[in-house]
Amino acid sequence: MDEIRQVTHIDNVRLSDDGSSVVIIDQTKLPGLMEYITLETPEQVYDAIYQLKIRGAPAIGICAGYSIYVLAKKIRAADYDGFYAEFHRLKEYLNASRPTAVNLSWALNRMEGVVTANREKPVPEILALLEKECKAIHQEDIQMCRAISEYGLSLLKDGDGVLTHCNAGPLATSQYGTGQGPFLLGREKGMNFHVFADETRPLLQGARLTSFELQKAGVDVTLICDNMASIVMKNGWVQACMVGCDRVAANGDAANKIGTSGVAILAKYYGIPFYVLGPTSTIDMNCATGADIKIELRDPEEIKTKWYEKPMAPDEVKCYNPSFDVTDHELITAIITEKGICRAPYTESLKALFADK
Ligand code: MRU
């Protein structure tokens, strides 16, 4: 039990004790080194998100909430208008650090909403409300991850083989995670799954983070290269696929780490259910379809040199390095949120999630 708790309760992002900075694990150093770093300036926060020191859609949102609060405390302005102008400038700056995961803008908009809804209050009171809000974003994510993990677990049987892509575990979220939450919760309940973790080229979140987390928690995990997914499916070793998501459109098209859509296509071919797990904060009803989701393009050096002692491609070769792809809703068996399991037609089941708002 302790080994599972150590993983699910990892301190991946938090406010410093005096509230003057945000403390994160630098995930680019894992699995070799568990190093905590402190973010105090807008540039440090931007760089941490852009460089994937903090990553995973929900964790990016939590970090953004804490960060804008920390930065808001440092604003020196004579009145509300001056305070809000600078707050908005900082918010727009942080929002530009990564475009695909909707949780970033979701959390920043939520924080900005606190400022604009309380314009008649003195700035110290607004700051107190911002502190409450960023802590609430984090607490809610803990509850959501737990509920998602419970719903996800209900779709698995003890002994199942499950394939996952990228990292949607505790490091990417809070506590249990989303796409990998059912494996950790199941383990805690005495169940045993055989998890196949795609290494997830080019930044190797599966190899560096998912296999690290699951192995540490005592889950039976086998690391495979991305191009081995087909053979393990064909061998009959995979009964379900579970992945996280960065932005889900209103029709159920889901953006997640590059390579996810290929896994979904293979799963369809082999008749294996393909599940997308994520909180409702990752559903963007303003995107009608996946075509509206902006896909982040990243530095070609991530493919050619980043994790290697020497270059693995000719210096000047052209590279295309999209960070995410969109899985067509027709390939998705179900989308699992903290409010329940949504099935096709997603235009209706996803809409129903927001009906009470
Ligand atoms: O580029 P990353 O590492 O931030 O991408 C992460 C993913 O694609 C995750 O699957 C997604 O954010 C969900 S995390 C619960």
Side-chain angles (χ1 to χ4, degrees):
M1 261 330 155
D2 268 4
E3 58 185 2
I4 303 170
R5 219 188 132 77
Q6 267 174 29
V7 173
T8 54
H9 287 66
I10 199 162
D11 221 359
N12 57 337
V13 50
R14 65 172 170 85
L15 265 186
S16 64
D17 292 341
D18 65 1
S20 68
S21 60
V22 182
V23 184
I24 62 165
I25 295 172
D26 180 351
Q27 297 190 30
T28 61
K29 302 270 170 65
L30 289 170
L33 192 65
M34 178 71 77
E35 184 177 284
Y36 286 88
I37 57 171
T38 308
L39 312 176
E40 288 169 6
T41 67
E43 293 75 22
Q44 286 170 343
V45 177
Y46 186 103
D47 178 73
I49 296 174
Y50 179 72
Q51 299 291 344
L52 275 63
K53 293 177 183 174
I54 178 96
R55 44 141 306 278
I60 292 172
I62 296 162
C63 179
Y66 282 144
S67 300
I68 196 84
Y69 163 62
V70 162
L71 298 174
K73 285 205 295 186
K74 295 177 185 163
I75 296 173
R76 296 286 159 255
D79 55 15
Y80 173 86
D81 287 344
F83 174 79
Y84 176 59
E86 180 57 4
F87 184 96
H88 185 70
R89 190 192 67 78
L90 289 165
K91 180 209 135 184
E92 293 293 301
Y93 173 69
L94 297 186
N95 199 28
S97 56
R98 288 195 83 187
T100 304
V102 69
N103 306 59
L104 175 60
S105 54
W106 172 84
L108 289 170
N109 286 337
R110 196 167 144 172
M111 293 294 279
E112 186 171 53
V114 169
V115 178
T116 52
N118 293 284
R119 58 176 66 238
E120 78 293 348
K121 296 204 170 94
V123 168
E125 270 183 51
I126 297 178
L127 289 172
L129 292 169
L130 283 172
E131 180 178 10
K132 239 171 111 181
E133 193 73 4
C134 60
K135 289 181 172 167
I137 288 173
H138 197 171
Q139 284 311 308
E140 287 165 24
D141 195 62
I142 293 173
Q143 309 303 327
M144 290 193 288
C145 285
R146 172 76 197 204
I148 290 165
S149 303
E150 294 274 8
Y151 282 121
L153 187 59
S154 73
L155 298 165
L156 300 176
K157 286 190 317 298
D158 196 14
D160 273 354
V162 194
L163 187 138
T164 190
H165 190 76
C166 196
N167 174 262
L171 285 162
T173 60
S174 329
Q175 299 200 355
Y176 291 84
T178 57
Q180 281 113 46
F183 318 146
L184 293 165
L185 189 64
R187 183 79 203 101
E188 205 171 80
K189 294 182 188 231
M191 297 167 81
N192 292 297
F193 302 117
H194 308 290
V195 179
F196 292 93
D198 281 353
E199 64 172 348
T200 316
R201 285 271 294 149
L203 292 183
L204 305 178
Q205 289 92 332
R208 294 187 301 106
L209 310 174
T210 300
S211 66
F212 165 76
E213 285 178 335
L214 294 180
Q215 192 175 54
K216 225 165 136 48
V219 175
D220 174 28
V221 56
T222 303
L223 178 63
I224 57 171
C225 298
D226 298 335
N227 52 8
M228 297 168 189
S230 177
I231 193 168
V232 295
M233 290 186 190
K234 188 169 185 171
N235 288 349
W237 296 345
V238 179
Q239 281 66 55
C241 298
M242 288 193 160
V243 298
C245 47
D246 285 82
R247 194 182 291 246
V248 177
N251 71 340
D253 291 349
N256 191 49
K257 180 50 53 194
I258 189 70
T260 303
S261 67
V263 174
I265 291 166
L266 289 174
K268 179 93 169 179
Y269 180 79
Y270 289 110
I272 297 167
F274 182 88
Y275 300 116
V276 171
L277 296 87
T280 45
S281 52
T282 308
I283 299 168
D284 185 355
M285 297 304 276
N286 295 320
C287 279
T289 74
D292 301 316
I293 300 177
K294 183 170 180 199
I295 299 294
E296 174 186 4
L297 291 178
R298 293 187 63 88
D299 187 349
E301 291 312 316
E302 291 180 348
I303 300 179
K304 295 191 285 184
T305 58
K306 176 116 180 160
W307 302 114
Y308 306 110
E309 277 182 12
K310 53 181 188 198
M312 281 296 136
D315 209 16
E316 265 125 49
V317 73
K318 256 196 304 178
C319 287
Y320 172 53
N321 185 17
S323 193
F324 301 94
D325 61 19
V326 175
T327 299
D328 194 285
H329 62 276
E330 286 184 5
L331 300 169
I332 300 173
T333 311
I335 298 174
I336 294 127
T337 75
E338 78 280 6
K339 293 188 181 175
I341 300 173
C342 298
R343 294 186 188 266
Y346 293 110
T347 37
E348 285 168 29
S349 57
L350 294 181
K351 198 164 153 196
L353 293 174
F354 299 96
D356 55 336
K357 289 207 170 162

